[in-house]
Amino acid sequence: MYWYFTWSHDNGAVERIHDALRGRLREAGSRDAEPSTGLIDSQSVRTADTVPAATKGFDAGKKAKGRKRFIVTDTLGLLLAVHVVAARIQDRDGAKRPLPWTRLDHPTVRKVWADQGFAGRRGEWTAQILGRGLKTVRKAPAQQAQLMNAITSGSDSGTM
């Protein structure tokens, strides 16, 4: 079974099927098959002790030892690009691969929204090198207060 997956992945079949399904879903929602806007975010994921040390790290912000995945989605949440790295990689640095991949694979995407972790020079780089906009969004003061309360109380209820 694994051989079939590897073969279909290596010859591009998996990506072609994924892209066709994404286009159909977008059209079913009365949208263009190709998106014009994307969203980028990262998520740290804990890994098993058996994962090689070279492919994992420690995300000090989330206090997680493992890997970090960077994803670019369209506004429906459908995947456009993904990149997995060691968790020690900062958001602004980890975006350096999925953003160009999005530009190459989806040239209609003109703007990508991101949270504050992607702020700084990455926005300038995206505009100058890729010719695209990277717009960072700040949390509303009420969300910041709720987040700080959750952190200080040790709550991990995920009700934000």
Side-chain angles (χ1 to χ4, degrees), residues 98-109 129-132:
L99 287 174
W101 292 343
T102 302
R103 183 188 184 282
L104 292 171
D105 294 341
H106 308 282
T108 57
V109 174
I129 303 300
L130 302 178
R132 301 294 188 261

Side-chain angles (χ1 to χ4, degrees), residues 27-132:
E27 288 171 340
S30 300
R31 296 176 182 250
D32 291 335
E34 279 295 316
S36 60
T37 304
L39 300 102
I40 186 168
D41 204 359
S42 68
Q43 181 180 25
S44 294
V45 181
R46 286 189 170 85
T47 55
D49 292 335
T50 56
V51 173
T55 64
K56 65 182 179 180
F58 184 73
D59 181 351
K62 296 181 182 161
K63 305 215 181 335
K65 185 177 182 181
R67 293 183 177 151
K68 188 181 282 191
R69 57 183 165 221
F70 292 87
I71 60 168
V72 180
T73 66
D74 66 5
T75 55
L76 296 175
L78 302 172
L79 190 64
L80 301 177
V82 64
H83 183 54
V84 179
V85 295
R88 67 180 167 272
I89 304 298
Q90 297 295 315
D91 285 357
R92 64 184 172 272
D93 299 327
K96 198 166 185 174
R97 288 218 175 132
L99 287 174
W101 292 343
T102 302
R103 183 188 184 282
L104 292 171
D105 294 341
H106 308 282
T108 57
V109 174
R110 305 299 297 170
K111 182 183 283 186
V112 178
W113 296 89
D115 64 19
Q116 288 178 289
F118 296 91
R121 285 186 249 154
R122 186 60 57 216
E124 296 167 13
W125 177 84
T126 304
Q128 292 173 356
I129 303 300
L130 302 178
R132 301 294 188 261

